[in-house]
Short mmCIF file of all heavy atoms in Angstrom, two decimals:
data_model
loop_
_atom_site.label_atom_id
_atom_site.label_comp_id
_atom_site.label_asym_id
_atom_site.label_seq_id
_atom_site.Cartn_x
_atom_site.Cartn_y
_atom_site.Cartn_z
N LEU W 69 105.64 99.29 104.95
CA LEU W 69 104.89 98.04 105.06
C LEU W 69 105.74 96.86 104.59
O LEU W 69 105.75 95.81 105.24
CB LEU W 69 103.60 98.13 104.24
CG LEU W 69 102.66 96.93 104.31
CD1 LEU W 69 102.21 96.69 105.75
CD2 LEU W 69 101.46 97.15 103.41
N GLU W 70 106.44 97.02 103.48
CA GLU W 70 107.29 95.94 102.99
C GLU W 70 108.41 95.62 103.99
O GLU W 70 108.71 94.46 104.24
CB GLU W 70 107.88 96.31 101.63
CG GLU W 70 106.89 96.24 100.51
CD GLU W 70 107.48 96.63 99.16
OE1 GLU W 70 108.51 97.33 99.13
OE2 GLU W 70 106.90 96.22 98.14
N ALA W 71 109.01 96.65 104.58
CA ALA W 71 110.07 96.43 105.57
C ALA W 71 109.52 95.73 106.82
O ALA W 71 110.13 94.80 107.35
CB ALA W 71 110.71 97.76 105.95
N SER W 72 108.36 96.17 107.26
CA SER W 72 107.74 95.57 108.43
C SER W 72 107.35 94.12 108.18
O SER W 72 107.51 93.26 109.05
CB SER W 72 106.51 96.40 108.83
OG SER W 72 105.90 95.87 109.97
N LEU W 73 106.87 93.85 106.97
CA LEU W 73 106.52 92.48 106.61
C LEU W 73 107.76 91.59 106.62
O LEU W 73 107.72 90.46 107.13
CB LEU W 73 105.85 92.45 105.23
CG LEU W 73 105.48 91.08 104.67
CD1 LEU W 73 104.47 90.38 105.57
CD2 LEU W 73 104.92 91.22 103.26
N ALA W 74 108.85 92.08 106.09
CA ALA W 74 110.10 91.30 106.09
C ALA W 74 110.56 91.01 107.52
O ALA W 74 110.98 89.89 107.83
CB ALA W 74 111.18 92.05 105.31
N ASP W 75 110.46 92.01 108.40
CA ASP W 75 110.83 91.82 109.81
C ASP W 75 109.95 90.75 110.46
O ASP W 75 110.43 89.89 111.18
CB ASP W 75 110.70 93.13 110.59
CG ASP W 75 111.74 94.16 110.24
OD1 ASP W 75 112.75 93.79 109.59
OD2 ASP W 75 111.56 95.33 110.62
N LEU W 76 108.65 90.84 110.21
CA LEU W 76 107.71 89.89 110.80
C LEU W 76 108.01 88.47 110.32
O LEU W 76 108.04 87.53 111.11
CB LEU W 76 106.27 90.29 110.46
CG LEU W 76 105.17 89.36 110.98
CD1 LEU W 76 105.22 89.24 112.50
CD2 LEU W 76 103.81 89.86 110.54
N LYS W 77 108.26 88.33 109.03
CA LYS W 77 108.58 87.00 108.50
C LYS W 77 109.87 86.46 109.12
O LYS W 77 109.96 85.27 109.44
CB LYS W 77 108.75 87.07 106.97
CG LYS W 77 107.44 87.17 106.22
CD LYS W 77 107.73 87.21 104.73
CE LYS W 77 106.47 87.24 103.91
NZ LYS W 77 106.75 87.29 102.46
N GLY W 78 110.86 87.32 109.30
CA GLY W 78 112.12 86.90 109.90
C GLY W 78 111.96 86.42 111.33
O GLY W 78 112.49 85.37 111.72
N ILE W 79 111.21 87.17 112.11
CA ILE W 79 110.99 86.78 113.51
C ILE W 79 110.18 85.49 113.58
O ILE W 79 110.49 84.60 114.38
CB ILE W 79 110.31 87.91 114.29
CG1 ILE W 79 111.33 89.03 114.51
CG2 ILE W 79 109.76 87.42 115.61
CD1 ILE W 79 110.82 90.21 115.26
N LEU W 80 109.18 85.37 112.73
CA LEU W 80 108.38 84.14 112.71
C LEU W 80 109.25 82.93 112.34
O LEU W 80 109.16 81.88 112.98
CB LEU W 80 107.21 84.28 111.74
CG LEU W 80 106.25 83.09 111.66
CD1 LEU W 80 105.61 82.83 113.00
CD2 LEU W 80 105.20 83.32 110.60
N ALA W 81 110.12 83.09 111.36
CA ALA W 81 111.02 82.00 110.96
C ALA W 81 111.95 81.61 112.11
O ALA W 81 112.17 80.41 112.36
CB ALA W 81 111.82 82.41 109.73
N GLU W 82 112.48 82.61 112.82
CA GLU W 82 113.36 82.32 113.96
C GLU W 82 112.63 81.55 115.04
O GLU W 82 113.17 80.61 115.62
CB GLU W 82 113.93 83.62 114.55
CG GLU W 82 115.06 84.22 113.76
CD GLU W 82 115.60 85.46 114.45
OE1 GLU W 82 115.81 85.42 115.69
OE2 GLU W 82 115.82 86.46 113.75
N LEU W 83 111.40 81.97 115.34
CA LEU W 83 110.62 81.28 116.37
C LEU W 83 110.30 79.85 115.96
O LEU W 83 110.31 78.95 116.79
CB LEU W 83 109.33 82.05 116.68
CG LEU W 83 109.49 83.27 117.56
CD1 LEU W 83 108.16 84.02 117.67
CD2 LEU W 83 109.98 82.89 118.94
N GLU W 84 110.01 79.66 114.68
CA GLU W 84 109.70 78.31 114.22
C GLU W 84 110.92 77.40 114.30
O GLU W 84 110.80 76.22 114.58
CB GLU W 84 109.14 78.35 112.80
CG GLU W 84 107.72 78.89 112.74
CD GLU W 84 107.18 79.09 111.34
OE1 GLU W 84 107.98 79.14 110.38
OE2 GLU W 84 105.95 79.19 111.21
N LYS W 85 112.11 77.96 114.09
CA LYS W 85 113.35 77.17 114.22
C LYS W 85 113.61 76.79 115.67
O LYS W 85 114.21 75.75 115.94
CB LYS W 85 114.54 77.96 113.67
CG LYS W 85 114.60 78.03 112.18
CD LYS W 85 115.81 78.82 111.73
CE LYS W 85 115.79 79.03 110.23
NZ LYS W 85 116.90 79.90 109.80
N SER W 86 113.18 77.64 116.58
CA SER W 86 113.42 77.37 118.00
C SER W 86 112.26 76.59 118.64
O SER W 86 112.02 76.68 119.83
CB SER W 86 113.66 78.67 118.76
OG SER W 86 112.48 79.44 118.79
N ASP W 87 111.54 75.85 117.83
CA ASP W 87 110.46 74.94 118.27
C ASP W 87 109.22 75.65 118.82
O ASP W 87 108.43 75.03 119.51
CB ASP W 87 110.99 73.93 119.31
CG ASP W 87 112.03 73.02 118.72
OD1 ASP W 87 111.99 72.78 117.49
OD2 ASP W 87 112.90 72.54 119.47
N GLU W 88 109.05 76.93 118.53
CA GLU W 88 107.81 77.62 118.88
C GLU W 88 106.95 77.67 117.63
O GLU W 88 106.95 78.65 116.92
CB GLU W 88 108.11 79.04 119.37
CG GLU W 88 108.87 79.09 120.64
CD GLU W 88 108.11 79.78 121.75
OE1 GLU W 88 106.93 80.10 121.56
OE2 GLU W 88 108.69 79.99 122.81
N LYS W 89 106.22 76.60 117.38
CA LYS W 89 105.46 76.52 116.13
C LYS W 89 103.96 76.68 116.32
O LYS W 89 103.22 76.74 115.36
CB LYS W 89 105.76 75.20 115.42
CG LYS W 89 107.22 75.09 115.02
CD LYS W 89 107.52 73.84 114.30
CE LYS W 89 109.01 73.87 113.98
NZ LYS W 89 109.54 72.81 113.28
N GLU W 90 103.52 76.71 117.54
CA GLU W 90 102.08 76.81 117.81
C GLU W 90 101.83 77.91 118.83
O GLU W 90 102.71 78.32 119.57
CB GLU W 90 101.55 75.47 118.35
CG GLU W 90 101.63 74.33 117.36
CD GLU W 90 100.85 74.56 116.08
OE1 GLU W 90 99.74 75.12 116.15
OE2 GLU W 90 101.36 74.22 115.01
N GLY W 91 100.60 78.37 118.84
CA GLY W 91 100.21 79.40 119.79
C GLY W 91 99.40 80.47 119.09
O GLY W 91 99.51 80.65 117.87
N PRO W 92 98.61 81.20 119.84
CA PRO W 92 97.76 82.23 119.23
C PRO W 92 98.57 83.35 118.57
O PRO W 92 98.17 83.87 117.53
CB PRO W 92 96.93 82.76 120.39
CG PRO W 92 97.65 82.34 121.63
CD PRO W 92 98.41 81.10 121.28
N GLU W 93 99.71 83.69 119.15
CA GLU W 93 100.54 84.76 118.57
C GLU W 93 101.11 84.33 117.22
O GLU W 93 101.16 85.13 116.28
CB GLU W 93 101.69 85.14 119.51
CG GLU W 93 101.26 85.78 120.80
CD GLU W 93 100.94 84.76 121.90
OE1 GLU W 93 101.10 83.54 121.66
OE2 GLU W 93 100.52 85.19 122.98
N ILE W 94 101.51 83.07 117.12
CA ILE W 94 102.07 82.55 115.87
C ILE W 94 100.98 82.52 114.80
O ILE W 94 101.21 82.93 113.65
CB ILE W 94 102.64 81.13 116.09
CG1 ILE W 94 103.68 81.13 117.21
CG2 ILE W 94 103.16 80.54 114.80
CD1 ILE W 94 105.11 81.23 116.83
N ASP W 95 99.78 82.06 115.18
CA ASP W 95 98.67 82.00 114.24
C ASP W 95 98.28 83.40 113.76
O ASP W 95 98.02 83.62 112.57
CB ASP W 95 97.45 81.31 114.86
CG ASP W 95 97.72 79.84 115.16
OD1 ASP W 95 98.61 79.25 114.52
OD2 ASP W 95 97.01 79.29 116.03
N GLU W 96 98.27 84.34 114.70
CA GLU W 96 97.93 85.72 114.34
C GLU W 96 98.98 86.30 113.39
O GLU W 96 98.65 86.99 112.43
CB GLU W 96 97.82 86.58 115.60
CG GLU W 96 97.38 88.00 115.30
CD GLU W 96 97.23 88.85 116.54
OE1 GLU W 96 97.44 88.36 117.66
OE2 GLU W 96 96.88 90.03 116.37
N ALA W 97 100.25 86.00 113.65
CA ALA W 97 101.32 86.49 112.78
C ALA W 97 101.17 85.92 111.38
O ALA W 97 101.32 86.64 110.39
CB ALA W 97 102.68 86.13 113.36
N ARG W 98 100.86 84.64 111.28
CA ARG W 98 100.68 84.01 109.97
C ARG W 98 99.52 84.63 109.21
O ARG W 98 99.62 84.90 108.01
CB ARG W 98 100.47 82.51 110.12
CG ARG W 98 101.72 81.76 110.51
CD ARG W 98 101.46 80.27 110.62
NE ARG W 98 102.67 79.58 111.04
CZ ARG W 98 102.69 78.60 111.93
NH1 ARG W 98 101.57 78.18 112.49
NH2 ARG W 98 103.83 78.02 112.25
N SER W 99 98.41 84.87 109.90
CA SER W 99 97.26 85.48 109.21
C SER W 99 97.56 86.92 108.81
O SER W 99 97.15 87.38 107.74
CB SER W 99 95.99 85.39 110.08
OG SER W 99 96.10 86.22 111.22
N THR W 100 98.30 87.63 109.65
CA THR W 100 98.69 89.00 109.32
C THR W 100 99.60 89.02 108.10
O THR W 100 99.44 89.86 107.21
CB THR W 100 99.37 89.68 110.52
OG1 THR W 100 98.47 89.70 111.63
CG2 THR W 100 99.81 91.09 110.18
N ILE W 101 100.53 88.07 108.03
CA ILE W 101 101.42 87.98 106.87
C ILE W 101 100.60 87.76 105.60
O ILE W 101 100.83 88.41 104.58
CB ILE W 101 102.47 86.86 107.06
CG1 ILE W 101 103.50 87.31 108.09
CG2 ILE W 101 103.15 86.51 105.75
CD1 ILE W 101 104.46 86.21 108.54
N ALA W 102 99.62 86.87 105.67
CA ALA W 102 98.77 86.60 104.50
C ALA W 102 98.01 87.86 104.08
O ALA W 102 97.94 88.18 102.88
CB ALA W 102 97.81 85.46 104.79
N GLU W 103 97.45 88.58 105.05
CA GLU W 103 96.70 89.80 104.75
C GLU W 103 97.60 90.87 104.14
O GLU W 103 97.24 91.51 103.14
CB GLU W 103 96.08 90.37 106.04
CG GLU W 103 94.95 89.55 106.61
CD GLU W 103 94.50 90.06 107.98
OE1 GLU W 103 94.69 91.28 108.25
OE2 GLU W 103 93.98 89.26 108.75
N VAL W 104 98.78 91.06 104.72
CA VAL W 104 99.69 92.09 104.24
C VAL W 104 100.20 91.74 102.84
O VAL W 104 100.33 92.62 101.99
CB VAL W 104 100.85 92.31 105.23
CG1 VAL W 104 101.92 93.21 104.65
CG2 VAL W 104 100.33 92.88 106.54
N GLU W 105 100.46 90.47 102.59
CA GLU W 105 100.90 90.06 101.26
C GLU W 105 99.83 90.35 100.21
O GLU W 105 100.16 90.76 99.10
CB GLU W 105 101.30 88.59 101.25
CG GLU W 105 102.64 88.35 101.91
CD GLU W 105 103.04 86.89 101.99
OE1 GLU W 105 102.16 86.00 101.90
OE2 GLU W 105 104.25 86.63 102.14
N LYS W 106 98.56 90.20 100.56
CA LYS W 106 97.47 90.54 99.63
C LYS W 106 97.49 92.03 99.33
O LYS W 106 97.31 92.45 98.18
CB LYS W 106 96.12 90.13 100.20
CG LYS W 106 95.86 88.66 100.19
CD LYS W 106 94.50 88.34 100.79
CE LYS W 106 94.30 86.85 100.95
NZ LYS W 106 93.05 86.53 101.66
N VAL W 107 97.68 92.84 100.36
CA VAL W 107 97.72 94.30 100.18
C VAL W 107 98.89 94.68 99.29
O VAL W 107 98.75 95.48 98.37
CB VAL W 107 97.82 95.02 101.56
CG1 VAL W 107 98.10 96.50 101.38
CG2 VAL W 107 96.55 94.81 102.36
N VAL W 108 100.05 94.08 99.53
CA VAL W 108 101.24 94.37 98.72
C VAL W 108 101.02 93.95 97.27
O VAL W 108 101.37 94.68 96.34
CB VAL W 108 102.50 93.70 99.32
CG1 VAL W 108 103.68 93.79 98.38
CG2 VAL W 108 102.84 94.32 100.67
N GLU W 109 100.41 92.79 97.06
CA GLU W 109 100.11 92.33 95.69
C GLU W 109 99.17 93.30 94.99
O GLU W 109 99.35 93.61 93.81
CB GLU W 109 99.50 90.93 95.71
CG GLU W 109 100.47 89.82 96.03
CD GLU W 109 99.79 88.48 96.18
OE1 GLU W 109 98.62 88.32 95.76
OE2 GLU W 109 100.43 87.57 96.73
N THR W 110 98.17 93.78 95.70
CA THR W 110 97.22 94.73 95.13
C THR W 110 97.93 96.01 94.72
O THR W 110 97.69 96.54 93.64
CB THR W 110 96.11 95.06 96.14
OG1 THR W 110 95.47 93.85 96.54
CG2 THR W 110 95.09 96.02 95.57
N ILE W 111 98.82 96.49 95.57
CA ILE W 111 99.57 97.71 95.25
C ILE W 111 100.45 97.50 94.04
O ILE W 111 100.53 98.35 93.15
CB ILE W 111 100.40 98.16 96.47
CG1 ILE W 111 99.47 98.61 97.59
CG2 ILE W 111 101.37 99.26 96.10
CD1 ILE W 111 100.15 98.84 98.92
N GLU W 112 101.11 96.35 93.97
CA GLU W 112 101.97 96.05 92.82
C GLU W 112 101.15 95.98 91.53
O GLU W 112 101.57 96.47 90.49
CB GLU W 112 102.72 94.72 93.04
CG GLU W 112 103.73 94.77 94.17
CD GLU W 112 104.83 95.78 93.96
OE1 GLU W 112 105.25 96.01 92.81
OE2 GLU W 112 105.28 96.36 94.97
#
Side-chain angles (χ1 to χ4, degrees):
L69 183 60
E70 287 179 338
S72 181
L73 177 62
D75 289 346
L76 179 58
K77 284 180 177 180
I79 288 180
L80 182 61
E82 282 183 45
L83 282 174
E84 287 174 342
K85 285 180 186 175
S86 68
D87 296 333
E88 295 242 7
K89 297 182 180 181
E90 296 300 320
E93 293 87 2
I94 304 264
D95 294 337
E96 184 179 359
R98 287 181 182 138
S99 68
T100 300
I101 287 171
E103 290 173 26
V104 171
E105 285 177 339
K106 286 179 187 174
V107 170
V108 170
E109 286 174 15
T110 303
I111 292 170
E112 293 299 326

